Coordinates of all heavy atoms in Angstrom, one line a residue:
M37 N 45.3 80.7 76.6 CA 44.5 80.5 75.4 C 44.3 81.8 74.7 O 44.3 81.9 73.5 CB 43.2 79.9 75.8 CG 42.4 79.4 74.6 SD 43.2 78.1 73.8 CE 41.9 77.2 73.2
A38 N 44.1 82.9 75.5 CA 43.8 84.2 74.8 C 45.1 84.7 74.1 O 45.0 85.3 73.0 CB 43.5 85.2 75.9
N39 N 46.3 84.3 74.6 CA 47.5 84.7 74.0 C 47.7 84.0 72.6 O 48.2 84.6 71.7 CB 48.7 84.3 74.8 CG 48.8 85.3 76.1 OD1 48.3 86.3 76.1 ND2 49.5 84.8 77.1
I40 N 47.2 82.8 72.5 CA 47.3 82.0 71.2 C 46.4 82.7 70.2 O 46.7 82.9 69.1 CB 46.9 80.6 71.4 CG1 48.0 79.9 72.3 CG2 46.7 79.8 70.1 CD1 47.7 78.5 72.7
K41 N 45.1 83.1 70.6 CA 44.2 83.7 69.7 C 44.8 85.1 69.2 O 44.7 85.4 68.0 CB 42.9 84.0 70.4 CG 42.1 82.7 70.6 CD 40.8 83.0 71.2 CE 40.0 81.7 71.5 NZ 38.7 82.0 72.2
I42 N 45.4 85.8 70.1 CA 46.0 87.1 69.7 C 47.1 86.9 68.7 O 47.3 87.6 67.7 CB 46.4 87.9 71.0 CG1 45.2 88.3 71.8 CG2 47.3 89.1 70.6 CD1 45.6 88.9 73.1
L43 N 47.9 85.9 69.0 CA 49.1 85.5 68.1 C 48.6 85.1 66.7 O 49.1 85.6 65.7 CB 49.9 84.4 68.7 CG 51.1 83.9 67.9 CD1 52.1 85.1 67.7 CD2 51.8 82.8 68.6
L44 N 47.5 84.3 66.7 CA 47.0 83.9 65.4 C 46.4 85.1 64.6 O 46.6 85.2 63.4 CB 45.9 82.8 65.6 CG 46.4 81.5 66.0 CD1 45.2 80.5 66.3 CD2 47.3 80.9 65.0
V45 N 45.7 86.0 65.3 CA 45.1 87.1 64.6 C 46.3 88.0 64.1 O 46.2 88.5 63.0 CB 44.2 87.9 65.6 CG1 43.8 89.3 65.0 CG2 43.0 87.1 65.9
A46 N 47.3 88.2 64.9 CA 48.5 89.0 64.5 C 49.1 88.4 63.3 O 49.5 89.1 62.4 CB 49.5 89.1 65.7
L47 N 49.3 87.1 63.3 CA 49.9 86.4 62.1 C 49.1 86.7 60.8 O 49.6 86.9 59.8 CB 50.1 84.9 62.4 CG 51.2 84.6 63.3 CD1 51.2 83.1 63.6 CD2 52.5 85.0 62.7
V48 N 47.7 86.5 61.0 CA 46.9 86.7 59.8 C 47.0 88.2 59.3 O 47.1 88.4 58.1 CB 45.4 86.4 60.2 CG1 44.5 86.8 59.1 CG2 45.3 84.9 60.4
V49 N 47.0 89.1 60.2 CA 47.0 90.5 59.8 C 48.4 90.9 59.2 O 48.5 91.5 58.2 CB 46.8 91.4 61.1 CG1 47.1 92.9 60.7 CG2 45.3 91.3 61.5
L50 N 49.5 90.4 59.8 CA 50.8 90.7 59.4 C 51.2 90.0 58.1 O 51.9 90.6 57.2 CB 51.8 90.4 60.5 CG 51.8 91.2 61.7 CD1 52.8 90.7 62.8 CD2 52.0 92.7 61.4
T51 N 50.7 88.8 57.9 CA 51.1 88.1 56.7 C 50.1 88.3 55.6 O 50.4 88.0 54.4 CB 51.2 86.6 56.9 OG1 50.0 86.1 57.4 CG2 52.3 86.3 57.9
G52 N 48.9 88.7 55.9 CA 47.9 89.0 54.8 C 47.6 87.7 54.1 O 47.7 87.6 52.9
L53 N 47.3 86.6 54.8 CA 47.0 85.3 54.2 C 46.0 85.5 53.1 O 44.9 85.9 53.3 CB 46.5 84.3 55.2 CG 47.5 83.9 56.3 CD1 46.8 83.0 57.3 CD2 48.7 83.2 55.7
P54 N 46.4 85.1 51.8 CA 45.5 85.3 50.7 C 44.2 84.5 50.8 O 43.2 84.8 50.2 CB 46.4 84.9 49.5 CG 47.5 84.1 50.0 CD 47.7 84.5 51.5
S55 N 44.3 83.3 51.5 CA 43.1 82.5 51.5 C 42.0 83.2 52.4 O 40.8 82.9 52.3 CB 43.4 81.1 52.1 OG 43.9 81.3 53.4
L56 N 42.4 84.1 53.2 CA 41.4 84.8 54.1 C 41.0 86.2 53.6 O 40.1 86.8 54.0 CB 42.0 85.0 55.5 CG 42.3 83.6 56.2 CD1 43.0 83.9 57.6 CD2 41.1 82.8 56.4
A57 N 41.8 86.7 52.6 CA 41.5 88.0 52.1 C 40.5 87.9 51.0 O 40.4 87.0 50.2 CB 42.8 88.6 51.5
E58 N 39.7 88.9 50.9 CA 38.7 89.0 49.8 C 39.4 89.5 48.5 O 40.1 90.4 48.6 CB 37.6 90.0 50.2 CG 36.7 89.5 51.3 CD 35.8 88.4 50.9 OE1 35.4 88.3 49.7 OE2 35.6 87.5 51.7
P59 N 39.1 88.8 47.4 CA 39.7 89.3 46.2 C 39.2 90.6 45.8 O 38.0 90.9 46.0 CB 39.3 88.2 45.2 CG 38.1 87.6 45.7 CD 38.2 87.7 47.2
A60 N 40.0 91.4 45.2 CA 39.6 92.8 44.7 C 38.8 92.6 43.5 O 39.1 91.8 42.6 CB 40.9 93.6 44.5
D61 N 37.7 93.3 43.4 CA 36.8 93.3 42.2 C 37.3 94.3 41.3 O 36.9 95.5 41.4 CB 35.4 93.5 42.6 CG 34.4 93.3 41.5 OD1 34.9 92.7 40.4 OD2 33.3 93.7 41.6
T62 N 38.1 93.9 40.3 CA 38.6 94.8 39.3 C 37.8 94.9 38.1 O 38.1 95.6 37.2 CB 40.1 94.5 39.0 OG1 40.1 93.2 38.4 CG2 41.0 94.5 40.2
G63 N 36.8 94.0 38.0 CA 36.0 93.9 36.8 C 36.7 93.1 35.7 O 36.1 92.9 34.6
R64 N 37.9 92.6 35.9 CA 38.6 91.8 35.0 C 38.8 90.4 35.6 O 39.0 90.3 36.8 CB 40.0 92.4 34.6 CG 39.9 93.8 34.0 CD 41.2 94.3 33.6 NE 41.9 94.6 34.9 CZ 43.2 94.8 34.9 NH1 44.0 94.8 33.8 NH2 43.8 95.0 36.1
H65 N 39.0 89.4 34.7 CA 39.3 88.1 35.2 C 40.7 87.8 34.7 O 41.1 88.2 33.6 CB 38.3 87.1 34.6 CG 36.9 87.3 35.1 ND1 36.6 86.9 36.4 CD2 35.8 87.8 34.5 CE1 35.3 87.2 36.5 NE2 34.8 87.7 35.4
A66 N 41.5 87.1 35.5 CA 42.8 86.7 35.1 C 42.8 85.7 34.0 O 41.9 84.8 34.0 CB 43.6 86.2 36.3
A67 N 43.7 85.8 33.1 CA 43.7 84.8 32.0 C 44.2 83.5 32.6 O 45.1 83.5 33.5 CB 44.7 85.3 30.9
P68 N 43.7 82.4 32.2 CA 44.1 81.1 32.7 C 45.5 80.7 32.3 O 46.0 81.1 31.2 CB 43.1 80.1 32.1 CG 42.5 80.7 31.0 CD 42.6 82.2 31.2
M69 N 46.2 80.1 33.3 CA 47.6 79.7 33.0 C 47.8 78.3 33.5 O 47.3 77.9 34.6 CB 48.6 80.7 33.7 CG 50.0 80.3 33.5 SD 51.2 81.3 34.4 CE 50.9 82.9 33.6
I70 N 48.5 77.5 32.7 CA 48.8 76.1 33.0 C 50.3 76.0 33.1 O 51.1 76.4 32.2 CB 48.3 75.2 32.0 CG1 46.8 75.3 31.9 CG2 48.7 73.7 32.2 CD1 46.1 74.5 30.8
L71 N 50.8 75.5 34.2 CA 52.2 75.3 34.4 C 52.5 73.8 34.2 O 52.0 73.0 34.9 CB 52.6 75.7 35.9 CG 54.1 75.5 36.3 CD1 55.0 76.4 35.4 CD2 54.3 75.8 37.7
V72 N 53.4 73.5 33.3 CA 53.9 72.1 33.1 C 55.2 71.9 33.7 O 56.2 72.7 33.4 CB 54.0 71.9 31.5 CG1 54.5 70.5 31.3 CG2 52.6 72.1 30.9
V73 N 55.3 71.0 34.6 CA 56.5 70.6 35.3 C 56.8 69.2 35.0 O 56.0 68.3 35.2 CB 56.4 70.9 36.8 CG1 57.7 70.5 37.6 CG2 56.0 72.3 37.1
G74 N 58.0 68.9 34.5 CA 58.3 67.6 34.1 C 59.7 67.3 33.8 O 60.6 68.1 34.2
D75 N 60.0 66.3 33.1 CA 61.4 65.9 32.7 C 61.7 66.3 31.3 O 61.1 67.1 30.7 CB 61.5 64.4 33.0 CG 60.5 63.6 32.2 OD1 59.8 64.1 31.3 OD2 60.5 62.3 32.4
S76 N 62.7 65.6 30.7 CA 63.1 66.0 29.4 C 62.1 65.7 28.3 O 62.1 66.3 27.3 CB 64.4 65.2 29.0 OG 64.2 63.8 29.2
I77 N 61.1 64.8 28.6 CA 60.1 64.5 27.6 C 59.2 65.7 27.5 O 58.9 66.2 26.4 CB 59.3 63.2 28.0 CG1 60.2 62.0 27.9 CG2 58.1 63.1 27.1 CD1 59.6 60.7 28.4
S78 N 58.7 66.2 28.6 CA 57.9 67.4 28.6 C 58.6 68.7 28.2 O 58.1 69.6 27.7 CB 57.1 67.6 29.9 OG 58.0 67.7 31.0
A79 N 60.0 68.7 28.5 CA 60.8 69.8 28.1 C 61.0 69.8 26.6 O 61.3 70.9 26.0 CB 62.1 69.8 28.8
G80 N 60.8 68.7 25.9 CA 61.0 68.6 24.5 C 62.4 68.4 24.1 O 62.8 68.9 23.0
F81 N 63.2 67.8 24.9 CA 64.6 67.6 24.5 C 64.8 66.9 23.2 O 64.2 65.8 23.0 CB 65.3 66.8 25.6 CG 66.8 66.6 25.4 CD1 67.7 67.6 25.6 CD2 67.3 65.3 25.0 CE1 69.0 67.4 25.4 CE2 68.6 65.2 24.7 CZ 69.5 66.2 24.9
G82 N 65.5 67.5 22.3 CA 65.8 66.9 21.0 C 64.6 67.1 20.0 O 64.7 66.5 18.9
V83 N 63.6 67.7 20.3 CA 62.4 67.9 19.4 C 62.3 69.3 19.0 O 62.4 70.2 19.8 CB 61.1 67.4 20.2 CG1 59.9 67.6 19.3 CG2 61.2 66.0 20.7
P84 N 62.0 69.6 17.7 CA 61.8 71.0 17.3 C 60.7 71.6 18.1 O 59.7 71.0 18.4 CB 61.4 70.8 15.8 CG 62.0 69.5 15.4 CD 61.9 68.6 16.6
I85 N 60.8 72.9 18.4 CA 59.9 73.6 19.2 C 58.4 73.5 18.7 O 57.5 73.4 19.5 CB 60.3 75.1 19.5 CG1 59.5 75.7 20.6 CG2 60.1 75.9 18.2 CD1 60.0 76.9 21.2
Q86 N 58.2 73.4 17.4 CA 56.9 73.4 16.9 C 56.2 72.0 17.1 O 55.0 71.9 17.0 CB 56.9 73.6 15.3 CG 57.5 74.9 14.9 CD 59.0 74.7 14.7 OE1 59.7 73.8 15.1 NE2 59.6 75.8 14.1
Q87 N 57.0 71.0 17.5 CA 56.5 69.6 17.7 C 56.5 69.2 19.1 O 56.2 68.1 19.4 CB 57.3 68.7 16.8 CG 57.2 68.9 15.3 CD 58.1 68.0 14.5 OE1 58.9 67.2 15.1 NE2 58.0 68.1 13.2
R88 N 56.9 70.1 20.0 CA 57.0 69.7 21.4 C 55.6 69.6 22.0 O 54.7 70.3 21.6 CB 57.8 70.8 22.2 CG 59.2 70.8 21.8 CD 60.0 71.8 22.6 NE 61.4 71.8 22.1 CZ 62.3 72.7 22.5 NH1 61.9 73.6 23.4 NH2 63.5 72.7 22.0
Q89 N 55.4 68.7 23.0 CA 54.1 68.4 23.6 C 53.5 69.7 24.1 O 52.3 69.9 24.0 CB 54.3 67.4 24.7 CG 54.6 66.0 24.2 CD 54.7 65.0 25.3 OE1 54.8 65.4 26.4 NE2 54.7 63.7 24.9
V90 N 54.3 70.5 24.8 CA 53.7 71.7 25.5 C 53.3 72.7 24.4 O 52.2 73.3 24.6 CB 54.7 72.3 26.5 CG1 54.2 73.6 27.1 CG2 55.0 71.3 27.6
T91 N 54.0 72.8 23.3 CA 53.6 73.7 22.3 C 52.3 73.3 21.6 O 51.4 74.1 21.4 CB 54.7 73.8 21.2 OG1 55.9 74.2 21.8 CG2 54.4 74.8 20.1
L92 N 52.2 72.0 21.4 CA 51.0 71.4 20.8 C 49.8 71.6 21.7 O 48.7 71.9 21.3 CB 51.2 70.0 20.4 CG 52.3 69.7 19.3 CD1 52.5 68.2 19.1 CD2 51.9 70.4 18.0
L93 N 50.1 71.4 23.0 CA 49.0 71.5 24.0 C 48.5 73.0 24.0 O 47.3 73.2 24.0 CB 49.5 71.2 25.4 CG 48.6 71.5 26.6 CD1 47.4 70.6 26.6 CD2 49.4 71.3 27.9
Q94 N 49.4 73.9 24.0 CA 49.0 75.3 24.0 C 48.2 75.7 22.7 O 47.2 76.4 22.8 CB 50.2 76.3 24.1 CG 49.7 77.7 24.1 CD 50.8 78.7 24.7 OE1 51.9 78.3 25.0 NE2 50.5 79.9 24.8
Q95 N 48.6 75.2 21.6 CA 47.9 75.4 20.3 C 46.5 74.9 20.4 O 45.5 75.5 20.0 CB 48.6 74.8 19.2 CG 49.9 75.5 18.8 CD 50.8 74.8 17.8 OE1 50.4 73.7 17.4 NE2 51.9 75.4 17.4
Q96 N 46.3 73.7 20.9 CA 45.0 73.0 21.0 C 44.1 73.8 22.0 O 42.9 74.0 21.8 CB 45.1 71.6 21.5 CG 45.7 70.7 20.4 CD 44.8 70.5 19.2 OE1 43.6 70.3 19.4 NE2 45.3 70.6 18.0
L97 N 44.7 74.2 23.2 CA 43.9 74.9 24.2 C 43.5 76.3 23.7 O 42.4 76.7 24.0 CB 44.7 75.0 25.5 CG 44.8 73.7 26.3 CD1 45.8 73.9 27.5 CD2 43.5 73.3 26.8
Q98 N 44.4 76.9 23.0 CA 44.0 78.3 22.5 C 42.9 78.3 21.5 O 42.3 79.4 21.3 CB 45.3 79.0 22.0 CG 46.2 79.4 23.1 CD 47.4 80.2 22.6 OE1 47.8 80.1 21.4 NE2 48.0 81.0 23.4
Q99 N 42.6 77.2 20.9 CA 41.5 77.1 20.0 C 40.2 77.2 20.8 O 39.2 77.7 20.3 CB 41.5 75.9 19.1 CG 42.6 75.8 18.1 CD 42.7 74.5 17.4 OE1 41.9 73.6 17.6 NE2 43.7 74.4 16.5
R100 N 40.2 76.7 22.0 CA 39.0 76.7 22.8 C 39.0 77.8 23.8 O 37.9 78.3 24.2 CB 39.0 75.3 23.6 CG 38.7 74.1 22.7 CD 38.8 72.8 23.5 NE 38.6 71.7 22.6 CZ 39.6 71.0 22.0 NH1 40.8 71.5 22.1 NH2 39.3 70.0 21.2
V101 N 40.2 78.2 24.4 CA 40.3 79.2 25.4 C 41.4 80.2 24.9 O 42.6 80.0 25.2 CB 40.6 78.7 26.8 CG1 40.7 79.8 27.8 CG2 39.7 77.5 27.1
P102 N 41.1 81.2 24.1 CA 42.1 82.0 23.4 C 43.1 82.7 24.4 O 44.2 82.9 24.0 CB 41.3 83.1 22.7 CG 39.9 82.5 22.5 CD 39.7 81.6 23.7
L103 N 42.7 83.0 25.6 CA 43.6 83.7 26.5 C 44.5 82.8 27.3 O 45.3 83.3 28.1 CB 42.8 84.6 27.4 CG 42.1 85.7 26.7 CD1 41.2 86.5 27.7 CD2 43.0 86.6 26.0
V104 N 44.4 81.5 27.1 CA 45.2 80.6 28.0 C 46.7 80.7 27.6 O 47.1 80.9 26.5 CB 44.7 79.1 27.8 CG1 45.0 78.6 26.5 CG2 45.3 78.2 28.9
T105 N 47.5 80.6 28.7 CA 49.0 80.5 28.5 C 49.5 79.3 29.1 O 49.0 78.9 30.2 CB 49.6 81.7 29.3 OG1 49.1 82.9 28.7 CG2 51.1 81.7 29.1
V106 N 50.4 78.6 28.4 CA 51.0 77.4 28.9 C 52.4 77.7 29.2 O 53.1 78.1 28.2 CB 50.8 76.2 28.0 CG1 51.4 74.9 28.5 CG2 49.3 75.9 27.7
V107 N 52.9 77.5 30.4 CA 54.3 77.8 30.7 C 55.0 76.4 31.0 O 54.5 75.6 31.7 CB 54.4 78.6 32.0 CG1 55.8 78.8 32.4 CG2 53.7 79.9 31.8
N108 N 56.1 76.2 30.3 CA 56.8 75.0 30.4 C 58.0 75.2 31.4 O 59.0 75.8 31.1 CB 57.4 74.5 29.0 CG 57.9 73.1 29.1 OD1 58.0 72.5 30.1 ND2 58.2 72.6 27.9
A109 N 57.9 74.6 32.6 CA 59.0 74.7 33.6 C 59.7 73.4 33.7 O 60.2 73.1 34.8 CB 58.4 75.2 34.9
S110 N 59.6 72.6 32.7 CA 60.3 71.2 32.7 C 61.8 71.4 32.7 O 62.3 72.3 32.1 CB 59.8 70.4 31.6 OG 58.4 70.3 31.6
I111 N 62.4 70.4 33.2 CA 63.9 70.4 33.2 C 64.4 69.1 32.5 O 64.0 68.0 32.8 CB 64.4 70.3 34.7 CG1 64.0 71.6 35.4 CG2 66.0 70.2 34.7 CD1 64.3 71.5 36.9
S112 N 65.2 69.4 31.5 CA 65.8 68.3 30.8 C 67.2 68.0 31.2 O 67.9 68.9 31.6 CB 65.7 68.6 29.3 OG 66.9 68.6 28.7
G113 N 67.6 66.8 31.3 CA 69.0 66.5 31.7 C 69.0 65.3 32.6 O 68.0 64.7 32.9
D114 N 70.2 65.0 33.1 CA 70.3 63.8 34.0 C 69.9 64.3 35.4 O 70.7 64.9 36.1 CB 71.8 63.4 34.0 CG 72.0 62.1 34.8 OD1 71.0 61.5 35.2 OD2 73.2 61.8 35.0
T115 N 68.7 63.9 35.8 CA 68.2 64.3 37.1 C 68.1 63.1 38.0 O 67.5 63.2 39.1 CB 66.8 64.9 36.9 OG1 65.9 64.0 36.3 CG2 66.9 66.2 36.1
S116 N 68.6 62.0 37.6 CA 68.6 60.8 38.5 C 70.0 60.5 39.0 O 71.0 60.9 38.4 CB 68.0 59.6 37.8 OG 68.8 59.3 36.7
Q117 N 70.1 59.9 40.2 CA 71.3 59.6 40.8 C 71.6 58.1 40.6 O 70.7 57.2 40.9 CB 71.3 59.9 42.3 CG 72.6 59.7 43.0 CD 72.5 60.1 44.5 OE1 71.4 60.4 44.9 NE2 73.6 60.0 45.1
T118 N 72.8 57.7 40.2 CA 73.2 56.3 40.0 C 73.9 55.9 41.3 O 74.6 56.6 42.0 CB 74.1 56.1 38.8 OG1 75.3 56.9 39.0 CG2 73.4 56.5 37.5
C119 N 73.7 54.6 41.6 CA 74.3 54.1 42.9 C 75.6 53.4 42.6 O 75.9 52.9 41.6 CB 73.3 53.0 43.5 SG 71.8 53.8 44.0

């Protein structure tokens, strides 16, 4: 049992698990970021960039939270398999 405890402590120390580490107090707060993951609809396939859902979302959010960033990681294309 003692070996397991030592192994767990070693893993925590070596990997520096972020959930156990205290955040550094830099006096600054990170700007909020929203990651959009989706298909061709959220990617805006065939839609001008000014009219894409993610662009409109970012514009609306920035009126309320000026520092927010919206990242679109959506993939457009044939992502399904036919049988």
Side-chain angles (χ1 to χ4, degrees):
M37 188 65 146
N39 289 339
I40 293 175
K41 288 181 183 177
I42 292 172
L43 179 60
L44 289 175
V45 170
L47 285 174
V48 169
V49 170
L50 292 175
T51 60
L53 293 175
S55 61
L56 299 177
E58 291 292 323
D61 186 13
T62 61
R64 297 182 294 166
H65 296 286
M69 179 181 294
I70 297 173
L71 177 65
V72 177
V73 180
D75 57 9
S76 56
I77 294 171
S78 57
F81 182 74
V83 178
I85 195 165
Q86 304 88 347
Q87 297 174 356
R88 293 180 184 173
Q89 290 178 347
V90 175
T91 304
L92 298 174
L93 172 67
Q94 182 163 3
Q95 290 171 356
Q96 290 292 316
L97 286 173
Q98 284 183 336
Q99 291 176 4
R100 294 175 180 87
V101 185
L103 297 177
V104 69
T105 302
V106 180
V107 177
N108 193 352
S110 301
I111 298 174
S112 120
D114 186 10
T115 56
S116 62
Q117 181 179 6
T118 58
C119 295

